[in-house]
Amino acid sequence: MQAKIKRIINMLFYHESWDIMIIKDHGIHLFPDNTLEILNKSTAQQLKKKYTFQADPFLIEKDDKLYVFYEAFSFRNSKGTLRCRILDRELTEIDDVKLEGFDDLRCHLSFPFLININNQLFMIPESSERKEVLLFQSVEFPARWKKIKVLLSDTEVTDNIFLSINETCYLLSTTMDNKIIIHSAEHLHGQWQRITPTLKVSNHHHRGAGTPYLVDNKMYFLTQECTPETYGKSIYIKELVTLNDINFDENLIEQINSSINHSDGVHTLNFSNNFIAYDTKINKFSLLAILKKLSYKFMVKYRNIYLSRQHN
């Protein structure tokens, strides 16, 4: 009975609020060996609060500046947009720019997954409301982007992870109920085909939580713990042992949970040469929480109807 009452109270009076935390690691980070230790012991700086959700940070260091690409969400329009927060090396915030080239999609956007190939910067944002996986290219860093290819169509998947193994490219995606979907191609701009390898997994939490990293000839990727009761509860670091048309095999290396900063959740983690970024969740009390949630559901339903008509 108490658990039921608590769920009702949470539904009526609490909503999630996400923020982005940055750690300057001073060159001591050795992923994944001491990642959890650094997260637990280091003081993280929170980006200035401008939106209800500031989440999904992806990092680029360039010209003595740190560029944090992220999702910005406000209940005022109930739609995520993509932005870039610019900081200097001392983590003083310089600017916050909206990314251009995405407005005509007319959908919720998040998880701005970045890919650097031959000094060309690409992005695969989360655009599941359009039932498409889209590839964008940077044309004027960091703000201006252009759509160059529809990688997957008529496919509602979220938080796509791109990686390359043995001269084959892969997209690891998840359906809205957290089932893994895998596609392969000869190169990023190639023809993507779904594959169905036999899965040998450490757990059934497959939704992407950051960039994969190749360290000492081992490929690591991150997934987020999502359950029907809790979204974005923790992050898993996994080693990808085998990935081909026949087998998908991974091992669990580490779990990063919200105890790193005594919050209510964490679901994206990325790092660069000198910085680590993660997002963090607080369940925030508000007398208007239920109205905000209902407004969000209405806006999502409206966008889905609009996008469905556009495709038909």
Side-chain angles (χ1 to χ4, degrees):
M1 179 62 72
Q2 287 182 340
K4 183 177 181 179
I5 293 173
K6 185 177 180 180
R7 284 197 299 270
I8 293 173
I9 292 174
N10 286 336
M11 179 184 68
L12 293 175
F13 299 114
Y14 287 85
H15 67 78
E16 295 181 358
S17 177
W18 287 87
D19 284 289
I20 293 171
M21 313 297 291
I22 309 289
I23 293 173
K24 191 171 183 179
D25 70 42
H26 303 288
I28 62 173
H29 184 206
L30 298 174
F31 179 85
D33 295 345
N34 65 352
T35 301
L36 185 58
E37 179 183 3
I38 289 177
L39 292 173
N40 278 318
K41 294 184 177 181
S42 301
T43 300
Q45 177 174 313
Q46 179 179 312
L47 290 190
K48 292 178 181 177
K49 185 72 168 178
K50 296 185 177 182
Y51 309 96
T52 308
F53 287 14
Q54 299 182 164
D56 299 345
F58 285 78
L59 305 182
I60 289 181
E61 286 187 61
K62 185 177 181 178
D63 300 329
D64 287 326
K65 294 183 178 66
L66 179 65
Y67 296 84
V68 183
F69 293 83
Y70 70 101
E71 173 204 351
F73 171 94
S74 172
F75 279 110
R76 283 176 292 181
N77 59 12
S78 292
K79 182 173 70 174
T81 59
L82 302 180
R83 302 188 70 90
C84 180
R85 197 74 59 92
I86 305 171
L87 301 86
D88 66 18
R89 295 188 66 82
E90 302 306 317
L91 298 183
T92 300
E93 297 190 25
I94 301 171
D95 203 355
D96 179 40
V97 298
K98 181 183 177 183
L99 303 191
E100 301 173 13
F102 299 90
D103 287 348
D104 64 340
L105 298 181
R106 297 182 181 275
C107 72
H108 171 86
L109 294 169
S110 61
F111 204 73
F113 184 90
L114 299 174
I115 307 166
N116 195 319
I117 299 178
N118 297 327
N119 293 319
Q120 292 183 306
L121 186 63
F122 301 93
M123 179 191 294
I124 303 177
E126 192 279 320
S127 57
S128 60
E129 286 186 350
R130 292 186 62 86
K131 296 180 173 61
E132 292 178 323
V133 177
L134 304 169
L135 179 66
F136 286 77
Q137 183 173 1
S138 173
V139 293
E140 186 178 320
F141 184 85
R144 291 185 57 235
W145 297 75
K146 68 175 180 180
K147 185 174 73 173
I148 59 173
K149 187 177 177 63
V150 178
L151 301 181
L152 303 176
S153 58
D154 299 320
T155 305
E156 189 176 10
V157 292
T158 188
D159 295 353
N160 305 277
I161 301 297
F162 170 87
L163 49 83
S164 179
I165 301 175
N166 297 328
E167 299 183 353
T168 299
C169 296
Y170 296 93
L171 274 178
L172 308 183
S173 314
T174 49
T175 62
M176 306 316 288
D177 56 356
N178 201 34
K179 294 181 180 178
I180 190 168
I181 302 291
I182 305 174
H183 291 80
S184 69
E186 292 184 355
H187 51 83
L188 178 60
H189 302 84
Q191 185 68 34
W192 289 88
Q193 301 289 339
R194 183 172 177 180
I195 61 173
T196 55
T198 300
L199 302 179
K200 182 181 178 182
V201 297
S202 57
N203 59 43
H204 294 285
H205 299 286
H206 306 300
R207 186 166 176 170
T211 300
Y213 297 95
L214 183 64
V215 180
D216 295 331
N217 293 319
K218 294 182 179 180
M219 180 67 75
Y220 299 94
F221 67 108
L222 299 96
T223 67
Q224 54 180 287
E225 180 185 10
C226 292
T227 68
E229 296 80 21
T230 304
Y231 167 70
K233 186 176 181 181
S234 70
I235 294 172
Y236 298 105
I237 301 174
K238 301 177 179 181
E239 179 188 351
L240 184 58
V241 179
T242 305
L243 175 54
N244 52 44
D245 289 358
I246 300 173
N247 293 304
F248 175 90
D249 184 3
E250 49 95 334
N251 290 327
L252 178 61
I253 302 300
E254 192 70 82
Q255 182 178 10
I256 300 168
N257 59 49
S258 57
S259 64
I260 59 175
N261 68 337
H262 309 290
S263 64
D264 295 310
V266 54
H267 77 352
T268 305
L269 183 142
N270 282 298
F271 62 89
S272 60
N273 288 337
N274 299 290
F275 300 94
I276 303 173
Y278 63 91
D279 52 14
T280 180
K281 176 176 69 173
I282 295 294
N283 291 319
K284 187 175 180 180
F285 174 82
S286 172
L287 292 174
L288 301 177
I290 188 63
L291 295 178
K292 293 178 179 179
K293 292 176 182 179
L294 290 174
S295 173
Y296 170 72
K297 289 185 177 181
F298 172 80
M299 291 300 295
V300 170
K301 186 174 182 179
Y302 170 79
R303 287 199 302 271
N304 285 336
I305 293 173
Y306 171 82
L307 292 170
S308 177
R309 288 176 178 174
Q310 292 291 104
H311 283 289
N312 293 333

